[in-house]
Amino acid sequence: KEKGPFSVEWLAQSSRGGAQPIATGRRPRCPPGGTCDQESPADPGDPGLEAEAGGGAVPGRARTKFSAAQLKELERIFREQRYIGTSEKRRLAAVLNLSQSQIKTWFQNRRMKFKRQTQDAK
C-alpha cells in the first residue's frame, strides 16, 4: 500500500530525503542527463558553480555563471530587442556555448530586471 503525502510515514521519510509528495502540480527537479531518482548536488568546492538562491530545500541545478563575453553579447542583443525569436535563440546558444533554455531564462530575467529599473526610475 502506498502512503499519501503528509502521512506520518511520509513525513518521517521526507525529513530524511526519501519521499516525494504525490501530485504536487510541480515537475520534479531532475539533474541534466540523469533521472529524477539520482541526486546530483553541486560540488561546493567548484568555483565555477554557485548554489541557487532561495532556501534550497530541494537540491537542484547549479546556478549558471556567465562569462563576461557571454554577458556582453546577451546585453548587446537585449538592447536591440527585448524578446528573442527561436532562430536567434538557437544561433546565440551555439555561438555562446549555452543551451537554448539558458538563453530563454536569461532574457526572461533580464526583462524583469529592466521592468524593476524602469519602475524605480519613476
Side-chain angles (χ1 to χ4, degrees):
K1 180 181 170 191
E2 188 171 319
K3 301 293 179 190
F6 310 117
S7 67
V8 173
E9 293 84 1
W10 181 86
L11 287 170
Q13 285 182 321
S14 67
S15 68
R16 294 188 303 269
Q20 294 294 322
I22 301 168
T24 60
R26 291 177 50 175
R27 293 191 330 220
R29 296 177 120 185
C30 302
T35 64
C36 291
D37 300 325
Q38 302 167 336
E39 290 187 12
S40 62
D43 179 8
D46 187 348
L49 299 176
E50 295 178 15
E52 187 173 349
V58 178
R61 184 173 170 3
R63 181 181 177 125
T64 301
K65 181 83 171 160
F66 294 101
S67 71
Q70 288 170 331
L71 288 172
K72 185 177 180 180
E73 182 64 10
L74 288 165
E75 288 287 352
R76 185 185 71 76
I77 300 294
F78 183 79
R79 280 192 304 272
E80 294 173 7
Q81 55 193 38
R82 304 267 186 267
Y83 290 85
I84 187 166
T86 306
S87 60
E88 181 65 7
K89 188 189 324 172
R90 194 175 301 126
R91 185 194 72 79
L92 259 181
V95 168
L96 298 178
N97 196 25
L98 296 168
S99 71
Q100 291 181 46
S101 178
Q102 288 171 312
I103 302 288
K104 178 191 76 150
T105 302
W106 186 90
F107 269 82
Q108 287 174 335
N109 291 338
R110 187 60 182 85
R111 285 191 299 269
M112 287 298 104
K113 180 179 178 181
F114 179 77
K115 183 178 176 182
R116 282 192 311 272
Q117 288 172 334
T118 55
Q119 286 177 345
D120 290 346
K122 292 181 181 178

